[in-house]
C-alpha cells in the first residue's frame, strides 16, 4: 500500500525545500530529488558551501527546474532565507551532517539553510549521514534528541559500509525510507481508522449558586486538538466538553456538559463503545456540597464559607470499569512533574499519561502551545518541547498507536 502511495502524482500540489549539506552522500540527494519530482512535488534546493564541494548546484538546478540557492548574501533584493521558506509544505534536509544537526538544534543561522529553517513552521524531515563514531557521539545524540523533542523527524541512518571503509550506523537512509517520511508528513494518515475515541476537554463548572461557579483556567484547546487529530487520521470521535469558547471540529459528535457529575455521566454512557479514552478535561476536584438554590446576597457580609466535597475521579472510575479500552490521562502539575505523573499513571490504572507543567512559560492553560512528557505503564517515555497543541496531539496519537494499539499486519499508515 505504501508503494501505491508512492505512485506518480501522489505529491502533486506539494512544495518541498530540499536542503543538501556537505556529506559524501550529497550525490544521493539527486535520486531523492528525482523521486520527489516524479511524484509531482515541486522542489527548491538549498545547498551549503560544504555540499557544493561534493556536487555542483547545476545538477540540482537542471533536475529541479529551479534556481539553486547557496548563498545567504547572494543579493540584497532576494532574501532567499525568507523567499525559500514561503509556501513550503515541508523541508527535507538530505543528507544532514553532524554540523548541520548541531546548528539546527541550537538555532544557529549562519548560512541560507539554517537561517531559512528558523522561518518555517511546516514539517521538517532530516536524513543524517556521517561516520559511525560521529553518529554515536554523545553531542550528536543530544542534538538529535533536542530536534526530535521539537517535532523534527530525524531519521536513523542505516547500518552498513561507510565511506571510511568501516561498517557502522551512519549510512544515508534508503530512498524509500525518506519518501515514506515525506508521505507521513504531507499526506493524510489514516492510521486511526476503525478506532472509536472518547475525548474529554475543557474545564468543568461547579455551581455555588445559580449565577456563580468554581472552575479553572482550562480553555479546552488540548482536547479539541486531539479530537481534530483523531478525525484527520480516520478515527471516530465523541467529544465530551466542558464550557469552552472553541468550535468543535467538524465530523466530531459533541456532548456539552457543565459539571463534573454531568461529565461523568456523559463519558460513562459512551465508554463501553469506545476503543480509546483520552481524558484531557480539567475536571474540578471539589464542588460546593450544597449549592445555594437562589442567588447569594451580600447583605452586609464581609466573608462567606463554603463546605466543599470531592467530585468523582472520572478517569479512575472508568479505568476500573474498562474491558479492552486503552485509557489515557493527563497530569497537570506545577512541581515534581514526572514523579507525580507516574503516581497518577499507577493509581488510576492508565496505559499512558501526558504530563505537562502548567507553569511552563509559553505553554499550559489557554496557550496555543504545550510541552509534555508522555509516560507509559510499560516504562517508555517520550519528551516533547514547546510545540503547537495540534502537533502535540499528533505526537500523543503516535504514542498511543505505537505503545498501546496493535495495528493489524499489512495495514497502511498512509492512504
Ligand atoms: N480527572 C478526572 N476526574 C477528576 C479529576 C481529574 O477524571 N475529578 C482526570 C483528569 O482529566 C486528568 C487526570 O485525572 O486526565 C489527572 O488530573 P489532574 O488534575 O492532573 O490530577 P488529579 O487526579 O485531579 O490530582 P491532583 O489535583 O491532586 O494533582
Amino acid at each position: 500500500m505504501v508503494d501505491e502511495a508512492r505512485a506518480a502524482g501522489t505529491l502533486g500540489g506539494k512544495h518541498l525545500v530540499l536542503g543538501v549539506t556537505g556529506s559524501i552522500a550529497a550525490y544521493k540527494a539527486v535520486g531523492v530529488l528525482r523521486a520527489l519530482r516524479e511524484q509531482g512535488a515541486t522542489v527548491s534546493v538549498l545547498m551549503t558551501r560544504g555540499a557544493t564541494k561534493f556536487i555542483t548546484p547545476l545538477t540540482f538546478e537542471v533536475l529541479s527546474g529551479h534556481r539553486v540557492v547557496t548563498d545567504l548574501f547572494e543579493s540584497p533584493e532576494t532574501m532567499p532565507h525568507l523567499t525559500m521558506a514561503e509556501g513550503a509544505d515541508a523541508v527535507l534536509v538530505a543528507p544532514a551532517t553532524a554540523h548541520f544537526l548541531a546548528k539546527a538544534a541550537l538555532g544557529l543561522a549562519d548560512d541560507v539553510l539554517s537561517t531559512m529553517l528558523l522561518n518555517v513552521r511546516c514539517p521538517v524531515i532530516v536524513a543524517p549521514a556521517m561516520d559511525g563514531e560521529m553518529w554515536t557521539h554523545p553531542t550528536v545524540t543530544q542534538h538529535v534528541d533536542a530536534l526530535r523533542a521539537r517535532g523534527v523527524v530525524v531519521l536513523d541512518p542505516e547500518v552498513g559500509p561507510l565511506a571510511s571503509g568501516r561498517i557502522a550506523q551512519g549510512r544515508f537512509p534508503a530512498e524509500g525510507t525518506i519518501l515514506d517520511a515525506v508521505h507521513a508528513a504531507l499526506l493524510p494518515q489514516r492510521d486511526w481508522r476503525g478506532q472509536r475515541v472518547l475525548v474529554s476537554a475543557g474545564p468543568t463548572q461547579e455551581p455555588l449558586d445559580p449565577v456563580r461557579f468554581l472552575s479553572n483556567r482550562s480553555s479546552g484547546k488540548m482536547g479539541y486538538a486531539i479530537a481534530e487529530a483523531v478525525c484527520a487520521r480516520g478515527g471516530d470521535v465523541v467529544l465530551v466538553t466542558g464550557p469552552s469558547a472553541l468550535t468543535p471540529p467538524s465530523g466530531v459528535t459533541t456532548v456539552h456538559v457543565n459539571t463534573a457529575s454531568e461529565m461523568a455521566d456523559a463519558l460513562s454512557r459512551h465508554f463501553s463503545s469506545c476503543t480509546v479514552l483520552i481524558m484531557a478535561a480539567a475536571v474540578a476536584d471539589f464542588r460546593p456540597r450544597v449549592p445555594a438554590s437562589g442567588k447569594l446576597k451580600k447583605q452586609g457580609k464581609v466573608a462567606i464559607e463554603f463546605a466543599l466535597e470531592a467530585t468523582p475521579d472520572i478517569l479512575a472510575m472508568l479505568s476500573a470499569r474498562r474491558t479492552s479500552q486503552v485509557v489515557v490521562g493527563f497530569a497537570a502539575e506545577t512541581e515534581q512533574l514526572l514523579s507525580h505523573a507516574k503516581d497518577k499513571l499507577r493509581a488510576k490504572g492508565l496505559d499512558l499519561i501526558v504530563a505537562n507543567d502548567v507553569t511552563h512559560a509559553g505553554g499550559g492553560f489557554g496557550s496555543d502551545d504545550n510541552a509534555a512528557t508522555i509516560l507509559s505503564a510499560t516504562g517508555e517515555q517520550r519528551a516533547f518541547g514547546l510545540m503547537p497543541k495540534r502537533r502535540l496531539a499528533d505526537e500523543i496519537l503516535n504514542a498511543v498507536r505505537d505503545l498501546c494499539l496493535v495495528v493489524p499486519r499489512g495495514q497502511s499508515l498512509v492512504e
Side-chain angles (χ1 to χ4, degrees):
M1 306 255 293
V2 171
D3 284 339
E4 271 169 38
R6 286 203 203 126
T10 315
L11 294 175
K14 302 291 182 196
H15 179 65
L16 279 103
V17 176
L18 174 63
V20 184
T21 71
S23 150
I24 180 66
Y27 74 94
K28 295 185 181 173
V30 172
V32 175
L33 167 61
R34 291 197 68 151
L36 293 170
R37 297 278 290 128
E38 275 164 20
Q39 291 178 19
T42 55
V43 185
S44 304
V45 181
L46 297 179
M47 295 176 76
T48 61
R49 204 154 49 90
T52 62
K53 302 272 181 204
F54 289 96
I55 186 162
T56 69
L58 185 62
T59 310
F60 291 105
E61 214 148 275
V62 171
L63 294 173
S64 69
H66 291 287
R67 195 172 59 86
V68 171
V69 179
T70 57
D71 182 7
L72 179 58
F73 305 106
E74 57 173 21
S75 84
E77 291 87 42
T78 55
M79 293 200 276
H81 62 298
L82 301 181
T83 49
M84 297 296 269
E86 263 167 34
D89 293 302
V91 174
L92 169 64
V93 182
T97 59
H99 184 228
F100 167 80
L101 294 174
K103 286 201 301 185
L106 296 172
L108 298 184
D110 65 349
D111 63 14
V112 67
L113 176 59
S114 52
T115 311
M116 186 275 307
L117 269 184
L118 297 179
N119 280 301
V120 292
R121 296 294 179 268
C122 62
V124 177
I125 302 150
V126 172
M130 64 195 74
D131 204 63
E133 290 299 314
M134 295 173 76
W135 174 249
T136 53
H137 193 285
T139 312
V140 174
T141 306
Q142 233 174 38
H143 292 145
V144 169
D145 289 348
L147 289 169
R148 285 180 174 157
R150 226 179 282 155
V152 174
V153 177
V154 183
L155 301 175
D156 284 322
E158 295 193 351
V159 178
L162 304 174
S164 61
R166 297 194 190 99
I167 295 182
Q169 186 175 15
R171 273 176 78 83
F172 187 60
E175 196 175 292
T177 308
I178 296 173
L179 292 180
D180 284 348
V182 171
H183 288 149
L186 289 183
L187 303 178
Q189 283 189 294
R190 310 298 288 174
D191 54 345
W192 277 66
R193 205 171 21 186
Q195 300 297 337
R196 288 183 307 281
V197 187
L198 185 55
V199 181
S200 72
T204 65
Q205 294 178 345
E206 310 301 326
L208 291 156
D209 69 13
V211 295
R212 304 180 181 94
F213 53 80
L214 276 183
S215 190
N216 58 61
R217 297 181 192 281
S218 169
S219 61
K221 284 180 182 169
M222 193 66 243
Y224 279 57
I226 292 169
E228 191 182 302
V230 173
C231 268
R233 291 167 67 161
D236 293 322
V237 182
V238 175
L239 173 66
V240 175
T241 174
S244 165
L246 302 173
T247 308
S250 62
V252 162
T253 305
T254 307
V255 183
H256 293 276
V257 297
N258 282 308
T259 63
S261 150
E262 288 167 14
M263 185 169 275
D265 288 348
L267 290 170
S268 297
R269 270 200 310 281
H270 290 95
F271 185 64
S272 60
S273 60
C274 79
T275 55
V276 179
L277 166 69
I278 304 182
M279 190 76 195
V283 186
D285 285 324
F286 294 96
R287 63 189 167 205
R289 183 171 291 151
V290 188
S293 55
K295 185 182 173 211
L296 291 160
K297 305 303 280 177
K298 281 202 294 288
Q299 284 163 350
K301 292 191 196 97
V302 289
I304 189 165
E305 285 188 5
F306 261 98
L308 301 179
E309 65 179 10
T311 57
D313 190 315
I314 307 171
L315 186 57
M317 176 186 83
L318 293 176
S319 170
R321 216 192 273 171
R322 72 159 108 180
T323 47
S324 57
Q325 292 86 349
V326 170
V327 178
V328 180
F330 274 69
E333 305 295 345
T334 54
E335 56 192 7
Q336 297 178 51
L337 178 67
L338 295 187
S339 73
H340 282 160
K342 279 181 194 161
D343 290 347
K344 285 177 191 172
L345 179 79
R346 264 191 303 272
K348 303 194 190 205
L350 310 178
D351 296 295
L352 279 189
I353 195 153
V354 182
N356 63 303
D357 178 348
V358 288
T359 62
H360 194 300
F365 289 136
S367 161
D368 288 332
D369 297 327
N370 211 0
T373 301
I374 303 176
L375 305 166
S376 81
T378 44
E380 284 94 346
Q381 198 165 310
R382 294 185 184 181
F384 300 96
L386 207 60
M387 60 174 71
K389 285 182 174 170
R390 181 62 179 77
R391 279 231 331 259
L392 183 61
D394 270 322
E395 295 295 355
I396 293 167
L397 297 190
N398 291 345
V400 177
R401 178 198 63 199
D402 298 347
L403 305 175
C404 310
L405 296 175
V406 183
V407 178
R409 202 176 268 275
Q411 182 175 317
S412 170
L413 298 185
V414 176
E415 225 176 30

